[in-house]
């Protein structure tokens, strides 16, 4: 294995692991604040119990996410010194603000966890809201930096050196806002879907109202996010078409430049033959979705130098998975909201609950697929159009050893999270059994 491949695998492993915790850090505090708000509004004891159960989950994921996030920040310097040399002075500002937001999130979470029965209730609730705002803000700052890698701005490239640096223009680059919003909504979609699926499974085991309440709160969040996501996805694709046409061509496995380009559903790209087999073609739809014109020209991969094309098969398949799951969840969201409003008993039907259980991991699979599209689709560039990934790699040998070390670290963290969550589920189940027995 080459050092370049090992370094890319290590970053893929780290980002793939950390992004789950980042998404949970964005959305879970909002669910927690929502249930707590319901408790304060109605005095419902189950809403309070649900808030406490969710807050323990937030604490577990926050602690593990802090570890993986710290490891990730070290990797940027250790694996990609060429990137940090140029990017540090330009895009360092959102990273520092992300750190500030992270510390504020930690402080607010500490206040919330230890503030029960000590703080005035509304002030206590505001600390939960602060956790959610800090989590979203933190994510947006990080994605400003990633957006800059896709849409570099705020400097002049003068003989291989960046000059005239404008950190504000770099942070608010053309990709930042849409990419950030797309990710934040995806977080609510994935976490809402996962939490709803867990409570659906628990309700099937024990028909307790706390699970019904948790299921409904999480599902509503997931449903509205899932319905909004296709709109954001369309806007994001139009932005990619304008800024990174090679990435769009790889996403769609579009090899030949053409007007009235078809949209491909599924299919297996053959990069050597320059064609995609077994795909369903929707005539002219790619031109329409990318440029708002059925006859617009869409540049194909064959018009880009071979050394500037991203890996097509990985990008295309990941994009198809993301879109398929997004479409599925939007449909489930519409049906579920209709059931909640017009057929409440149908929403708690065992068959529907089993469907929700089946969908538990799908949002996170879509997030992983989306990040593969973002990162693999940008290759061979680490700073699009300016610095190649290979040129940013460390000259230090033995990257495979750190890859093995990080793989071990994430395996241990996965086991720790699984053990802690299993324990929390058991404690919640025991508490519910005790309260049910007391009522009888």
């Amino acid at each position: 294995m080459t050092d370049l491949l090992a370094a890319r695998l290590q970053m893929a492993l780290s980002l793939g692991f950390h992004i789950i915790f980042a998404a949970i850090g964005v959305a879970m505090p909002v669910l927690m604040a929502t249930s707590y708000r319901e408790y304060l509004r109605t005095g419902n004891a189950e809403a309070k119990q649900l808030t406490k159960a969710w807050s323990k989950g937030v604490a577990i994921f926050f602690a593990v996410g802090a570890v993986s996030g710290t490891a990730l920040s070290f990797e940027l310097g250790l694996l990609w010194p060429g990137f940090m040399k140029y990017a540090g002075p330009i895009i360092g500002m959102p990273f520092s603000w992300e750190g500030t937001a992270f510390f504020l999130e930690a402080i607010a979470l500490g206040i919330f966890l230890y503030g029960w029965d000590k703080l005035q209730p509304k002030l206590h609730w505001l600390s939960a809201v602060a956790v959610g705002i800090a989590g979203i803000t933190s994510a947006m700052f990080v994605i400003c930096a990633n957006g800059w890698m896709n849409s570099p701005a705020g400097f002049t490239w003068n003989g291989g050196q960046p000059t005239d640096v404008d950190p504000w223009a770099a942070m608010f680059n053309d990709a930042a806002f849409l990419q950030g919003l797309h990710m934040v909504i995806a977080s609510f979609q994935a976490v809402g879907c996962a939490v709803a699926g867990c409570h659906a499974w628990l309700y099937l085991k024990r028909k307790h109202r706390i699970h019904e309440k948790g299921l409904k709160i999480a599902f509503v969040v997931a449903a509205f996010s899932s319905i909004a996501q296709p709109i954001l996805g369309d806007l994001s694709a139009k932005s990619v078409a304008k800024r990174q046409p090679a990435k769009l061509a790889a996403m769609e496995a579009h090899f030949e430049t053409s007007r009235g380009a078809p949209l491909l559903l599924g299919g297996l790209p053959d990069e050597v033959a320059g064609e995609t087999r077994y795909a369903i073609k929707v005539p002219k739809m790619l031109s329409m979705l990318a440029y708002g014109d059925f006859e617009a020209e869409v540049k194909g991969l064959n018009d880009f130098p071979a050394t500037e094309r991203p890996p097509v098969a990985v990008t295309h398949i990941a994009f198809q998975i993301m879109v398929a799951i997004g479409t599925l969840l939007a449909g489930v969201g519409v049906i579920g909201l209709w059931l909640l409003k017009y057929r409440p008993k149908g929403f708690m039907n065992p068959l529907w609950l089993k469907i929700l259980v089946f969908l538990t991991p799908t949002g996170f699979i879509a997030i992983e697929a989306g990040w593969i599209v973002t990162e693999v689709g940008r290759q061979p560039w680490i700073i699009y159009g300016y610095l190649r990934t290979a040129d940013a790699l460390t000259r230090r040998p033995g990257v495979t050893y750190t890859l093995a070390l990080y793989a071990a670290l994430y395996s241990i963290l996965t086991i720790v999270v699984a053990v802690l969550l299993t324990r929390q589920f058991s404690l919640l189940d025991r508490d519910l059994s005790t309260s049910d027995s007391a009522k009888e």
Side-chain angles (χ1 to χ4, degrees):
M1 182 185 296
T2 64
D3 283 344
L4 177 60
L5 179 58
R8 288 184 61 189
L9 285 175
Q10 185 175 324
M11 286 304 294
L13 179 65
S14 296
L15 282 168
F17 183 86
H18 180 69
I19 200 170
I20 300 297
F21 296 87
I24 293 170
V26 167
M28 202 63 214
V30 176
L31 296 183
M32 181 179 76
T34 303
S35 62
Y36 192 31
R37 174 62 181 160
E38 182 169 341
Y39 162 66
L40 294 179
R41 187 174 59 84
T42 64
N44 186 303
E46 285 146 0
K48 181 179 181 181
Q49 195 173 13
L50 183 64
T51 305
K52 286 190 171 184
W54 280 352
S55 68
K56 291 172 184 173
V58 169
I60 291 170
F61 284 110
F62 182 85
V64 177
V67 175
S68 60
T70 303
L72 193 54
S73 63
F74 280 119
E75 284 177 283
L76 283 175
L78 292 172
L79 295 177
W80 312 105
F83 170 74
M84 295 306 292
K85 174 184 173 184
Y86 296 116
I90 305 172
I91 202 66
M93 187 166 68
F95 277 125
S96 61
W97 284 16
E98 189 273 339
T100 303
F102 171 78
F103 283 118
L104 292 175
E105 184 181 4
I107 292 168
L109 180 59
I111 291 172
F112 183 76
L113 291 174
Y114 293 99
W116 287 101
D117 305 321
K118 297 182 180 67
L119 293 175
Q120 195 270 342
K122 286 188 178 177
L123 185 62
H124 190 215
W125 174 72
L126 284 175
S127 68
V129 174
V131 178
I133 293 173
I136 293 170
T137 308
S138 177
M140 290 296 287
F141 283 137
V142 168
I143 295 171
C144 281
N146 185 267
W148 178 81
M149 295 165 70
N150 292 316
S151 183
F155 65 94
T156 301
W157 197 245
N158 191 358
Q161 294 292 328
T163 59
D164 304 325
V165 172
D166 181 349
W168 291 99
M171 189 168 81
F172 296 109
N173 59 78
D174 288 345
F177 179 71
L178 262 181
Q179 195 177 321
L181 192 58
H182 193 36
M183 179 63 209
V184 168
I185 295 299
S187 300
F188 282 107
Q189 186 180 16
V191 174
C193 193
V195 173
C198 287
H199 280 289
W201 173 62
L202 292 168
Y203 187 84
L204 287 168
K205 288 176 60 182
R206 176 190 290 275
K207 289 183 174 48
H208 197 283
R209 288 182 60 189
I210 189 174
H211 297 312
E212 182 178 352
K213 187 172 292 297
L215 163 61
K216 289 180 177 177
I217 291 174
F219 181 83
V220 169
V221 169
F224 281 110
S225 303
S226 298
I227 293 168
Q229 193 63 290
I231 300 169
L232 287 170
D234 177 62
L235 294 174
S236 297
K238 285 181 168 61
S239 177
V240 168
K242 181 181 177 183
R243 294 180 290 97
Q244 295 175 285
K247 178 187 280 188
L248 177 76
M251 287 159 59
E252 288 295 336
H254 180 65
F255 287 96
E256 297 293 339
T257 299
S258 60
R259 292 186 175 277
L263 180 73
L264 301 189
L265 302 180
L268 293 175
D270 183 337
E271 296 182 45
V272 176
E275 63 180 6
T276 303
R277 300 189 178 94
Y278 316 119
I280 299 172
K281 295 184 179 181
V282 183
K284 302 189 178 189
M285 193 52 71
L286 177 57
S287 291
M288 179 60 192
L289 291 176
Y291 298 105
D293 179 353
F294 285 110
E295 299 299 332
E297 181 180 278
V298 181
K299 196 172 180 180
L301 286 159
N302 290 340
D303 278 6
F304 294 93
T307 55
E308 295 183 9
R309 296 176 198 164
V312 181
V314 173
T315 308
H316 176 70
I317 292 171
F319 181 66
Q320 295 289 312
I321 291 172
M322 179 184 69
V323 172
I325 291 176
T327 305
L328 172 65
L329 293 184
V332 170
V334 171
I335 294 170
L337 289 177
W338 183 85
L339 286 172
L340 271 174
K341 184 171 179 61
Y342 298 107
R343 298 284 190 275
K345 290 184 179 177
F347 186 81
M348 300 307 294
N349 181 283
L351 177 59
W352 176 252
L353 295 180
K354 288 176 183 175
I355 292 172
L356 296 183
V357 173
F358 175 76
L359 294 174
T360 299
T362 50
F364 287 115
I365 294 172
I367 283 181
E368 297 285 6
W371 272 105
I372 290 172
V373 172
T374 300
E375 297 302 305
V376 177
R378 191 184 57 244
Q379 300 306 314
W381 306 99
I382 192 168
I383 303 174
Y384 186 72
Y386 290 94
L387 181 66
R388 290 176 181 271
T389 306
D391 295 333
L393 180 67
T394 178
R395 295 181 180 178
R396 171 181 58 82
V399 178
T400 50
Y401 295 110
T402 58
L403 169 61
L405 180 66
Y406 272 72
L409 170 67
Y410 295 136
S411 298
I412 293 169
L413 290 176
T414 301
I415 294 170
V416 168
V417 171
V419 169
L420 291 175
L421 287 182
T422 302
R423 183 171 180 272
Q424 288 304 316
F425 279 128
S426 299
L427 289 174
L428 177 61
D429 197 50
R430 187 196 65 187
D431 292 344
L432 294 178
S433 297
T434 304
S435 64
D436 287 349
S437 300
K439 288 177 184 176
E440 291 171 1

